[in-house]
Amino acid sequence: MLALSSSTALADDVEVLHWWTSGGEAAALNVLKEDLAEQGIGWFDMPVAGGGGEGAMTALRARVTAGNAPTAVQMLGFDIIDWANEGVLGNLDEVAMAEGWDAVVPEALQFFSKHEGHWIAAPVNVHSTNWVWMNKSALADTGLAEPTNWEELVAVLDAMKENGITPLGHGGQAWQDATLFDSVVLSLGDDFYKTTMIDLNMDALGGEKMVQAFERMATLRSYVDDNFSGRDWNLASTMVLNGTAGMQIMGDWAKGEFLRAGKVPGEDFVCIRFPGTQGAVTFNSDQFVMFDVDHGKDAQKAMAAAVMNPVFQSAFNVVKGSVPARTDVSNADFDACGQKGMADLADAGSNGRLFGSMAHGHSVPASVKNAIYDVVTAHFNGEYDAQTAASELVNAVESAM
Ligand code: GAL
């Protein structure tokens, strides 16, 4: 099937490998497909299900090893750097220069979109992971206000439990556990996040504060339902939108699911920053990376230009739940959560409070990320107590470096 799609791809087509298979993600992808179709660029779809993209990255490795790279690939952060270092990516300088990307793409994104000064990827969005999505009436039923710190969050979770719903909608998959971990670590301080998740300081990784982070993870674990293991993230979003769960701690792709179900921010659901992380942002950006292929270079350039078009960036991100990857796009078409996301991103950027998401490949290379995943998940599933988890984290990170 893979061979079929690539062998039938024409010069004016793009074969796109991605993991946008949930309802909200597919709706956003359609915005892109339709935009390209209007320009006469055909689309060969290569979806690989699995939130966070681990499955997609495994499929990509197999394709490249077989000498059959797709023309365009959805990719995150350090994965882009890894592939660039292998020398197998195309060069987008021509279109980037002609369209002035240098001036409009935030520095934090350019770090990943450029390799040795050359553009190798077109960023389509900026997501962030330190969000909480709450069912508005489930929150109202608690009689409590939107939580602003850890203690208030726990109080809301307790009250939801008393009200007979699952307080925390969650799917037990390593990347989802790690997404919670992004927020929990950040809630213990910007410096703590930076020192541990970016600088990989061993003392901090194994220190008292990390023990506290794991204790918080265990507390969160106590609010998930018995069937959480292996559940896809979008099913956890569905639990929140139909009120069987009170909240989900997840990146803003969750909003794509709520919107797709016709839910309205502020009326049906509430978006807040994970309590204790207000003003800071852990971001990830989906970028389209173009491989150095024999055929289809023109289509690649056209796709890159289409992805970076400001009108498209607004239309796409309104549906996806993310915010534009360029600084010059109006927020007029975005809902209240999207407008907050755009303002938070700009503020965090100018206040030195913008950090790459560990869980979504923007703080450390994949090898280290996977080592952190293993420990976080083992602890979340009760294999380690908090103290052991902190020491295992040091061991895991040390051996992955
Ligand atoms: C993230 C990606 C998002 C969304 C999410 C769940 O890594 O950046 O676009 O797709 O995974 O699949």
Side-chain angles (χ1 to χ4, degrees), residues 19-20 25 50-53 74 76 125 127 175 233 253 284-286 320 360:
W19 63 92
W20 285 334
E25 290 173 332
Q74 176 197 355
L76 295 173
N125 64 16
H127 273 299
W175 74 270
W233 68 273
W253 46 90
N284 63 296
S285 164
D286 293 300
K320 183 70 170 72
H360 294 269

Side-chain angles (χ1 to χ4, degrees), residues 12-292:
D12 290 332
D13 294 333
V14 281
E15 187 198 13
V16 184
L17 192 157
H18 64 90
W19 63 92
W20 285 334
T21 56
S22 79
E25 290 173 332
L29 197 68
N30 259 334
V31 178
L32 176 58
K33 281 185 198 170
E34 280 165 16
D35 189 282
L36 295 180
E38 276 170 25
Q39 303 177 49
I41 304 167
W43 180 282
F44 278 83
D45 206 31
M46 190 182 168
V48 181
E54 263 184 289
M57 289 304 102
T58 306
L60 173 63
R61 173 64 61 191
R63 284 286 302 265
V64 178
T65 306
N68 184 23
T71 35
V73 180
Q74 176 197 355
M75 215 182 274
L76 295 173
F78 278 86
D79 287 330
I80 305 175
I81 296 179
D82 282 349
W83 280 108
N85 285 335
E86 293 197 28
V88 289
L89 302 186
N91 181 317
L92 298 173
D93 282 349
E94 195 188 312
V95 52
M97 297 309 151
E99 310 214 349
W101 294 1
D102 277 284
V104 292
V105 174
E107 289 278 308
L109 266 53
Q110 288 194 29
F111 179 77
F112 300 105
S113 328
K114 281 173 138 178
H115 180 65
E116 293 171 352
H118 301 290
W119 285 89
I120 49 162
V124 67
N125 64 16
V126 187
H127 273 299
S128 57
T129 59
N130 59 319
W131 287 106
V132 183
W133 307 90
M134 289 196 193
N135 180 299
K136 190 167 180 194
S137 60
L139 176 64
D141 290 346
T142 67
L144 298 169
E146 293 172 7
T148 60
N149 57 36
W150 174 253
E151 289 71 27
E152 288 174 11
L153 174 66
V154 170
V156 171
L157 287 161
D158 278 335
M160 287 175 168
K161 195 174 196 171
E162 269 167 41
N163 290 343
I165 59 171
T166 298
L168 183 59
H170 181 67
Q173 296 174 344
W175 74 270
Q176 293 188 58
D177 301 340
T179 302
L180 263 55
F181 196 65
D182 270 1
S183 282
V184 165
V185 172
L186 185 64
S187 75
L188 290 166
D190 288 9
D191 286 347
F192 181 59
Y193 186 90
K194 185 175 177 300
T195 317
T196 55
M197 296 295 106
I198 295 170
D199 300 340
L200 298 176
N201 175 293
M202 294 300 161
D203 290 339
L205 280 167
E208 268 317 299
K209 237 182 190 179
M210 190 55 80
V211 176
Q212 201 188 340
F214 279 112
E215 281 165 354
R216 287 188 174 188
M217 288 296 286
T219 302
L220 291 178
R221 166 72 178 81
S222 72
Y223 295 107
V224 308
D225 64 322
D226 289 343
N227 297 322
F228 84 107
S229 195
R231 175 188 288 136
D232 286 331
W233 68 273
N234 52 313
L235 300 181
S237 305
T238 302
M239 290 168 70
V240 175
L241 70 87
N242 66 26
T244 54
M247 69 178 83
Q248 181 180 22
I249 299 163
M250 189 44 65
D252 36 16
W253 46 90
K255 193 186 76 179
E257 297 303 301
F258 297 140
L259 298 181
R260 173 123 178 103
K263 303 291 180 187
V264 179
E267 283 176 29
D268 303 306
F269 66 94
V270 172
C271 55
I272 59 167
R273 289 294 174 179
F274 186 87
T277 72
Q278 297 90 329
V281 168
T282 39
F283 81 97
N284 63 296
S285 164
D286 293 300
Q287 308 214 13
F288 281 107
V289 172
M290 309 295 171
F291 275 76
D292 187 9

